[in-house]
Amino acid sequence: MKRRMLLGAAAASAILPVPTLAQPAGTRVLRVVPQANLTVLDPIWTTAVITRHHGYMVYDQICALDSGFNVRPQMAEGWEVGNDGRSWTFTLRDGLRFHDGEPVRAADCVASIRRWGARDQFGQAAMAVTDELVALDDRRFRFRLKQPFPLLATAIGKQTSSPCFVMPERVAATDPNRQITETVGSGPYRFLRDEFVPGARVAYQRFDGYRPRQEPPDWTSGGRVAHMERVEWSIIPDPATAGAAIQTGEVDFLEFPLHDLLPTFRRNRDLVVRIRDRMGTYAMLRFNHLVPPFDNPALRRALAMAVNQEDYMRAVAGNDPEMWRTCYSFWTCDTPLASDAGSAFLQTPDLGRAQAAMREAGYAGERVVMLAPGDLPTILALSQVTADLMRRLGFNLDLVVTDWGTLVQRRAKMDPVEQGGWNILHTTWSGAEHLNPAVHQQIRGNGRRGWVGWPEDGETERLRSAWFDAPDLASQQRIAAAMQERAYANLPYVPLGMYLHPNVWRSSVTDVIHAPVLLLYNIRKT
């Protein structure tokens, strides 16, 4: 029913007013409708995808990954590994500068790595084996490790969740658990704070002092060239209004089109419809493990028994089988670690069995607070499917619909629901973020030090540590299967399936980088 409501809104787009957007100097300005409102400007404090988009506009990285998952120098000129893998010395390229004109120094990198390493799961693994991280001079810094960590450069160069973006030392000195108050990077675009209107507009100006690498772009590696003089984001929560804006040329790029509008877009010769991220988008139902009633694993499992992935995928991506699939692996499907280990109960949903399990778990009608974003149609659709399911099961559900920015702020609260906390939310992740234990944050059991929801499970953490030490792929696969079986027993979250989400842009837009993350540099307009 909710999906039909969205369809109705899309059908009405022909009579909806198109927002009046600023239109300076056509080919010099890229006008984008991003997936959500930008409310958090700190890409280390949050894993929100929209904030990561902002991060790639403003900041640069020491290393970066190409499409073959090879780590490449980015801000770094290169690095040397010595002492049997226990010493890593990085050297920065000459001439790098921040947007305030100050040179980028090794001390800035050290401070940025330390702050990132306190928040990011991969970064925490790297810092756990680090004895010393020091700047040797303005261009060189060195890791001295307790033991070899071959994935160190890969960790620093990760592209998803919380990339290790470099900030000035004074900014990176901010407590990792507090948001930064100053946005100064060394990337291809400067953030224009004076033009920032949360909920309406975000603007960036080309940084003429940026020195891109000379290699062609490949995922986040290679040259990051700012061909556009400006990039402007228009926040348009209604997908029908956004769809009308891309068709009339009011905007150039639409990140999250409504799936039901794709046939209309494909018939328009002035539009290009492309799937930028072929690894897919993975949906999840996330529990808060700190507060009742889902601090009870038996109740988490009872709800999961009724989950039908096909219902969720159809709500998000429609009936086209080319656009979605069920996926019962906690690891990205069709990759080396993927399996169905432990998932049998999720593949055979049963409402009656779930209700019996609820009674056995002792559910007594406690209020359950679900957070949902009214301005993010895909996650809202996932939330609505769960809301309907929970009401049919007999849960006392309080569905709280806010904008995405407010949700991101509230989901960080560990308080009981009576004090503004929450019990359930939904979100999505790129397949690149669930490839293996190094990058998969949501499977972890590190409690309050982990991602929101904060599951705690020592066995999961022990297995994750063992994976880093595994000598070969077969050993890694055995450990990954054991982690997945443990995840299905503990249920840090419920996997809801995988779907493909195309982007739409005007045919005048070229050179869009196809990658698991949205990269708005290198784009040209004719």
Side-chain angles (χ1 to χ4, degrees), residues 312-363:
Y312 288 89
M313 292 298 97
R314 287 195 174 95
V316 169
N319 293 319
D320 185 351
E322 298 298 317
M323 298 303 293
W324 61 268
R325 61 169 290 179
T326 58
C327 177
Y328 301 101
S329 176
F330 274 76
W331 313 108
T332 307
C333 277
D334 300 324
T335 62
L337 300 188
S339 76
D340 286 344
S343 67
F345 78 95
L346 194 64
Q347 298 190 46
T348 54
D350 188 319
L351 202 68
R353 186 177 53 162
Q355 288 173 321
M358 283 174 59
R359 291 190 294 270
E360 293 174 10
Y363 178 66

Side-chain angles (χ1 to χ4, degrees), residues 281-509:
T281 299
Y282 286 75
M284 68 166 60
L285 184 164
R286 181 69 163 185
F287 298 105
N288 185 339
H289 292 241
L290 296 183
V291 300
F294 291 111
D295 57 343
N296 179 353
L299 191 60
R300 297 197 295 269
R301 188 174 181 88
L303 176 55
M305 288 177 180
V307 165
N308 186 333
Q309 286 194 358
E310 292 188 9
D311 292 342
Y312 288 89
M313 292 298 97
R314 287 195 174 95
V316 169
N319 293 319
D320 185 351
E322 298 298 317
M323 298 303 293
W324 61 268
R325 61 169 290 179
T326 58
C327 177
Y328 301 101
S329 176
F330 274 76
W331 313 108
T332 307
C333 277
D334 300 324
T335 62
L337 300 188
S339 76
D340 286 344
S343 67
F345 78 95
L346 194 64
Q347 298 190 46
T348 54
D350 188 319
L351 202 68
R353 186 177 53 162
Q355 288 173 321
M358 283 174 59
R359 291 190 294 270
E360 293 174 10
Y363 178 66
E366 298 95 331
R367 181 168 68 108
V368 174
V369 174
M370 179 193 298
L371 304 182
D375 56 349
L376 215 54
T378 51
I379 297 181
L380 179 61
L382 297 170
S383 306
Q384 289 167 335
V385 173
T386 298
D388 175 68
L389 176 62
M390 292 183 72
R391 287 173 177 140
R392 286 188 286 131
L393 286 169
F395 281 96
N396 175 17
L397 181 67
D398 182 5
L399 177 59
V400 179
V401 180
T402 67
D403 65 276
W404 179 243
T406 300
L407 189 153
V408 168
Q409 299 280 355
R410 183 169 176 179
R411 75 183 186 184
K413 292 175 68 69
M414 299 183 184
D415 303 315
V417 294
E418 295 79 13
Q419 299 174 25
W422 58 277
N423 298 114
I424 283 180
L425 56 77
H426 300 74
T427 191
T428 59
W429 300 87
S430 165
E433 295 170 291
H434 288 176
L435 284 170
N436 58 52
V439 296
H440 195 330
Q441 300 195 57
Q442 295 72 42
I443 200 173
R444 290 199 64 180
N446 57 335
R448 293 173 183 265
R449 295 185 67 235
W451 194 69
V452 297
W454 310 284
E456 187 166 357
D457 184 65
E459 178 62 11
T460 295
E461 291 299 287
R462 186 194 68 78
L463 288 167
R464 180 176 183 266
S465 296
W467 183 87
F468 281 102
D469 296 329
D472 51 44
L473 178 59
S475 301
Q476 291 178 338
Q477 289 172 324
R478 285 193 296 272
I479 294 169
M483 284 187 71
Q484 178 164 303
E485 289 176 345
R486 186 66 185 172
Y488 269 117
N490 193 45
L491 281 178
Y493 67 87
V494 182
L496 301 178
M498 183 279 284
Y499 64 97
L500 298 173
H501 211 141
N503 300 145
V504 180
W505 57 83
R506 302 287 298 177
S507 58
S508 57
V509 172

Side-chain angles (χ1 to χ4, degrees), residues 28 48 54 70 94 116 142 145 149 193 253 262 264 279 355 357 391 396 453-454 483 510 512:
R28 293 181 294 157
H54 164 77
N70 303 300
D94 193 23
W116 163 80
R142 182 182 64 206
L145 306 180
F149 192 77
R193 185 175 288 274
F253 192 103
L262 293 178
T264 299
M279 298 190 75
Q355 288 173 321
R391 287 173 177 140
N396 175 17
W454 310 284
M483 284 187 71
T510 63
V512 176

